[in-house]
Each structure stands twice: as structure tokens, then as C-alpha cells.
């Protein structure tokens, strides 16, 4: 399961990862749409229409509007189209829930997991969990929603490329041109 953590935590792990990356040489591209079975994230979406609903939660404008804005941004920036359902019919692409730190942990902003893959490795349905205890402003909610929804479209982290796919707290609420190109090439 992908987990976005607050910056400054797990520094030793981050240094270890950076050391491994440095030893392997410079990367020339990210791993768009290859999926990661260990984390259940980063699989390409199963189609250009990306429908979503709020799963097992009430529609609370202060929590839900930033998510709706993030889905509209995916629609506006890419060749994907968002479609909102007030109920969650079978086969909805993205099930979004607001949970607390008791579910995600005290440093995890959000989490994305592919729940169902099709026969060619595309994700038919993803679950996005957003931590309402840590995401206390509209800006942090929208950035994290943009980030987690990016994973449902097949994006990986993008510290090299900028945009909302960088991990942790930031004010980026759009996708980088690099990530937009990945999505548009797929659809």
C-alpha cells in the first residue's frame, strides 16, 4: 500500500534509498504505469474515464471539495475525464474515504491501493484513504488528493519532475508536464 509520509520522518531510510539509487547510476525515466505488487499502487487506469465516489463516508464539503477539485484538475490537465457518483456503483474506478490517524498512522497523509487488476495489468478499481487528522487545510487536502489520484492513474512519485506527485506536504496541486505526458500517452 502506498503511503505518503510527512517530511523529516524516516531520514535513515531515505538516505539508504538515495545511496542505493546513487550506486545504481542516474535514472533516465520514472516507472510510469508499471505497477508495484508490493505496494498495490502505480498501475495504469483501465480507461480514460476515471469515475469516483466517496466510499462509506458522508459528503462533507470541507473534506470533499478539495478531492472534487483534484479530480477536476486531472480532467483539465490530461486526456482523462472525471465522473462523480453520489453512490458507489459496482466497478467505480476510485473509492475515496476520509479516515484518521488510527487507520493510517500518525505520519501518513494518504494511501492508494489497487483493489482489482484486469488481465493486462491495468487497475479496475483503487481505494484512496486520506488522513483527515493530518490534512487540516484545503490546500493540503487538495495536494494530497492530487497525489493519491495520480497514483490511481498510474503515476509514481515525482520529486525529479515536481508537481503534486512529490511526497509530503507542499502547495503543488497540479501535475508536472512530465506526468501529464505519461497519462496522455496512455489515453
Amino acid at each position: 500500500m502506498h503511503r505518503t509520509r510527512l517530511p523529516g520522518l524516516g531520514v535513515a531510510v531515505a538516505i539508504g534509498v538515495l545511496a542505493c539509487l546513487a550506486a545504481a547510476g542516474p535514472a533516465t525515466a520514472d516507472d510510469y504505469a508499471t505497477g508495484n505488487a508490493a505496494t498495490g499502487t502505480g498501475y495504469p487506469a483501465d480507461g480514460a474515464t476515471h469515475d469516483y465516489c466517496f466510499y462509506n463516508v458522508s459528503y462533507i464539503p470541507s473534506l470533499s471539495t478539495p478531492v472534487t477539485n483534484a479530480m477536476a484538475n486531472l480532467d483539465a490537465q490530461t486526456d482523462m475525464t472525471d465522473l462523480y457518483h453520489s453512490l458507489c456503483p459496482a466497478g467505480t474506478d476510485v473509492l475515496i474515504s476520509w479516515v484518521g490517524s488510527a487507520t493510517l498512522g500518525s505520519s501518513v497523509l494518504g494511501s492508494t491501493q489497487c483493489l482489482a487488476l484486469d488481465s493486462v495489468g491495468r487497475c479496475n478499481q483503487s481505494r484512496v484513504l486520506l488522513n483527515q487528522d493530518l490534512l487540516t487545510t484545503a490546500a493540503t487536502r487538495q495536494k494530497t488528493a492530487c497525489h493519491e489520484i495520480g497514483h490511481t492513474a498510474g503515476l509514481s512519485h515525482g520529486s525529479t519532475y515536481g508537481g503534486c506527485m512529490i511526497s509530503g506536504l507542499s502547495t503543488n496541486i497540479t501535475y508536472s508536464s512530465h506526468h501529464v505526458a505519461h497519462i496522455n500517452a496512455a489515453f
Side-chain angles (χ1 to χ4, degrees):
M1 184 178 294
H2 164 75
R3 296 178 182 270
T4 301
R5 297 195 181 271
L6 290 172
L9 300 174
V11 174
V13 172
I15 291 170
V17 169
L18 289 174
C20 289
L21 289 174
T28 57
D30 60 358
D31 59 351
Y32 171 74
T34 58
N36 183 328
T39 63
T41 190
Y43 292 96
D46 64 353
T49 300
H50 217 43
D51 61 337
Y52 71 104
C53 64
F54 294 99
Y55 185 72
N56 286 338
V57 294
S58 300
Y59 186 92
I60 301 168
S62 64
L63 298 176
S64 303
T65 298
V67 174
T68 302
N69 290 344
M71 287 298 292
N73 177 60
L74 179 72
D75 190 322
Q77 269 198 281
T78 71
D79 292 338
M80 295 187 84
T81 303
D82 73 300
L83 177 64
Y84 170 71
H85 298 290
S86 58
L87 300 174
C88 293
T92 301
D93 293 318
V94 185
L95 308 173
I96 300 168
S97 298
W98 287 95
V99 297
S101 293
T103 301
L104 286 177
S106 62
S107 64
V108 179
L109 300 175
S111 173
T112 298
Q113 182 178 28
C114 179
L115 300 175
L117 287 172
D118 67 13
S119 62
V120 295
R122 295 174 302 189
C123 189
N124 290 329
Q125 188 171 63
S126 295
R127 175 183 23 233
V128 171
L129 303 177
L130 299 168
N131 192 333
Q132 65 188 7
D133 295 340
L134 299 178
L135 301 172
T136 58
T137 67
T140 59
R141 291 174 188 142
Q142 189 166 339
K143 183 278 180 189
T144 303
C146 178
H147 179 97
E148 299 303 336
I149 290 164
H151 285 309
T152 71
L155 298 177
S156 59
H157 290 128
S159 58
T160 301
Y161 309 107
C164 69
M165 292 310 296
I166 64 171
S167 292
L169 294 172
S170 79
T171 58
N172 297 320
I173 59 172
T174 60
Y175 299 104
S176 69
S177 58
H178 174 86
H179 286 124
V180 168
H182 273 310
I183 291 171
N184 289 346
F187 301 106

